[in-house]
Amino acid sequence: MSMDGNVLNSEREIALNLIILSPGHNLADPVVQTLQAKLDNFASVLDFGATGDGVTDDIAAFDAAWASIKNTGGTLIVPPATYYLNATWLIDTAGKQYIIKGSGAVLLSGPSVTGFAIDVTGGGNVLKTMIRGFYFNHITNTTVAGAIRLSDNPHTTLTNNMIVANSSSASYIGIDLYNDCFWTFITDNSIATNNIGVRLYGDPNATMINNNTFAGGVDGIRLDPDAGGTSANGVRISGNSLESLTNGITVIGPGTPDYYPTGVLVSENRCETADYFINIAGSASNSGTQTLNALNNYWVAGNTGYLSNPDNWVIKVFEQMGFPDNTSDNVITGAASLHIIHSGIGQNTHISNASGASTWQNGHLVLGTTSNPFHLWADATGDLRIKNGAPTSDTDGAIVGTQT
């Protein structure tokens, strides 16, 4: 890039004064970059003709600015202003390091945008991408599919963005991770949609969704299998606020082949939902036991329940801060093995099994500690039994209650 009379924003002016140290040098022996070398590390959409007036279509300037750093890596700055984009901004990464910094910039998607406002593709070879500081205003747009989509683009951080969608956009997805987006960090965003806040589709493994605020919509966070049945593993969902939603977190299972995510950790979230905090939905013929751990969450309210689980999952609920009373008396349903440890359970709690009469192997309650567990289940005749330790048969343990 050259200085051609365009106004440099403050961040690029600061960059002119940077001292970059080469390997083997110390502070007493600096190597100072040339002015042009420093400028080549930064690009601004203003340098490529963006107006930021909220009316003129700035997509050509955004595309040109991205092209200027695509093959070298660097920082792309979108200064504070309102930018009208009447096409999807395609960021096709090339295995370099990128920072795309919004600094409070507002992105308005025009009516020609039927995909996502920003579509990031990487072919699975990107080294590091960060997108931060954008405000996606889709209040007046009913055609846009969502704010940000990552496709085969691992090692990405999405942070400090605000996403607001039109209430009539029934299929809107705030952030969509589409296959092979492993090691993605979604943190400190605010997302208000009428459908899904964050969706993990396929196998974006080891994704961390931390410290975000979700408001409105059907699912705050949703894990979907791809067409081949592959799902994400090692997902951590922590420190989020999930409010005014139908379900806080939904995990969808395929019909054939049956394959759910494994190793899902849900911890230290605050959830206020109409139905479930955690909703495990889909096929009821899951072929393998999966595991979900819920730790230190605070569930404020819900008309239906804390967790719905029609399939063969092991659910461990540790140190919960609240299981409030529910209007439908239905807190937890259908776990293959349910462990409730050091947690308070409110009045009218209903724990039910969705798969058969006897529950000694499937869908019973474990109370106490992991080192000293007490198993409580209903046998095939309907008698209530308890045993200190895991039962080995339907008639193991002692009968503590019978049907009347």
Side-chain angles (χ1 to χ4, degrees), residues 107 135-141 144 147 162-167 172 174 190-194:
L107 301 185
Y135 174 31
F136 296 86
N137 185 341
H138 295 147
I139 296 175
T140 61
N141 190 307
V144 63
M162 179 175 288
I163 299 169
V164 180
N166 189 300
S167 62
Y172 190 95
S190 295
I191 304 173
T193 81
N194 194 47

Side-chain angles (χ1 to χ4, degrees), residues 242-266:
L242 302 128
E243 300 184 9
S244 303
L245 298 154
T246 303
N247 300 300
I249 301 163
T250 290
V251 181
I252 301 296
T256 303
D258 279 328
Y259 186 71
Y260 278 103
T262 58
V264 179
L265 174 62
V266 180

Side-chain angles (χ1 to χ4, degrees), residues 37-401:
K38 292 176 181 178
L39 289 174
D40 286 343
N41 292 325
F42 287 79
S44 169
V45 295
L46 298 183
D47 296 329
F48 295 88
T51 63
D53 62 7
V55 177
T56 305
D57 187 1
D58 285 326
I59 189 62
F62 275 62
D63 288 343
W66 166 248
S68 73
I69 69 165
K70 171 183 173 179
N71 294 316
T72 59
T75 299
L76 175 53
I77 297 169
V78 183
T82 298
Y83 302 89
Y84 177 76
L85 305 178
N86 200 26
T88 292
W89 186 20
L90 177 62
I91 300 175
D92 50 340
T93 59
K96 305 296 182 179
Q97 289 183 308
Y98 312 97
I99 297 176
I100 302 171
K101 190 171 184 180
S103 302
V106 178
L107 301 185
L108 296 177
S109 295
S112 294
V113 182
T114 57
F116 285 78
I118 297 179
D119 198 338
V120 185
T121 63
N125 65 348
V126 68
L127 181 61
K128 178 70 175 178
T129 305
M130 175 181 286
I131 299 175
R132 64 174 300 166
F134 287 96
Y135 174 31
F136 296 86
N137 185 341
H138 295 147
I139 296 175
T140 61
N141 190 307
T142 60
T143 61
V144 63
I148 304 173
R149 185 188 191 190
L150 305 181
S151 178
D152 297 321
N153 198 85
H155 301 263
T156 302
T157 299
L158 305 175
T159 184
N160 295 114
N161 299 289
M162 179 175 288
I163 299 169
V164 180
N166 189 300
S167 62
S168 64
S169 300
S171 60
Y172 190 95
I173 301 174
I175 297 172
D176 194 29
L177 273 59
Y178 190 87
N179 282 335
D180 204 20
C181 294
F182 54 86
W183 294 344
T184 294
F185 297 85
I186 301 173
T187 179
D188 296 300
N189 302 283
S190 295
I191 304 173
T193 81
N194 194 47
N195 187 33
I196 300 172
V198 172
R199 184 181 75 152
L200 277 58
Y201 179 87
D203 59 350
N205 298 328
T207 293
M208 300 185 70
I209 305 173
N210 297 341
N211 304 323
N212 303 282
T213 298
F214 298 88
V218 179
D219 298 317
I221 300 166
R222 179 168 171 146
L223 279 62
D224 270 335
D226 63 18
T230 301
S231 299
N233 299 310
V235 176
R236 176 165 182 170
I237 301 169
S238 179
N240 301 285
S241 176
L242 302 128
E243 300 184 9
S244 303
L245 298 154
T246 303
N247 300 300
I249 301 163
T250 290
V251 181
I252 301 296
T256 303
D258 279 328
Y259 186 71
Y260 278 103
T262 58
V264 179
L265 174 62
V266 180
S267 68
E268 298 176 343
N269 300 281
R270 181 187 185 277
C271 186
E272 183 173 357
T273 59
D275 285 347
Y276 286 104
F277 172 26
I278 302 171
N279 178 37
I280 300 175
S283 167
S285 58
N286 182 37
S287 58
T289 298
Q290 314 302 322
T291 302
L292 183 144
N293 293 330
L295 173 66
N296 288 337
N297 297 289
Y298 181 62
W299 184 48
V300 180
N303 293 328
T304 304
Y306 181 83
L307 185 145
S308 171
N309 180 37
D311 276 313
N312 192 29
W313 279 57
V314 173
I315 309 297
K316 296 184 179 180
V317 180
F318 297 94
E319 304 285 356
Q320 300 309 296
M321 296 175 65
F323 285 106
D325 298 344
N326 297 278
T327 57
S328 64
D329 300 344
N330 191 0
V331 171
I332 301 174
T333 62
S337 181
L338 175 64
H339 302 246
I340 298 181
I341 302 171
H342 297 162
S343 302
I345 301 179
Q347 248 183 338
N348 303 326
T349 296
H350 180 189
I351 300 172
S352 66
N353 173 45
S355 55
S358 177
T359 62
W360 75 273
Q361 288 180 308
N362 190 20
H364 69 260
L365 178 65
V366 182
L367 303 173
T369 65
T370 54
S371 61
N372 188 32
F374 288 84
H375 293 246
L376 188 67
W377 73 98
D379 65 23
T381 65
D383 291 336
L384 186 64
R385 292 177 177 269
I386 191 169
K387 183 184 178 184
N388 186 197
T392 59
S393 72
D394 185 41
T395 57
D396 201 359
I399 296 176
V400 294

Side-chain angles (χ1 to χ4, degrees), residues 1 3 8 12 15-16 32-40:
M1 273 173 281
M3 296 182 64
L8 297 174
R12 295 184 69 198
L16 300 182
V32 180
Q33 287 185 313
T34 65
L35 174 62
Q36 189 61 51
K38 292 176 181 178
L39 289 174
D40 286 343

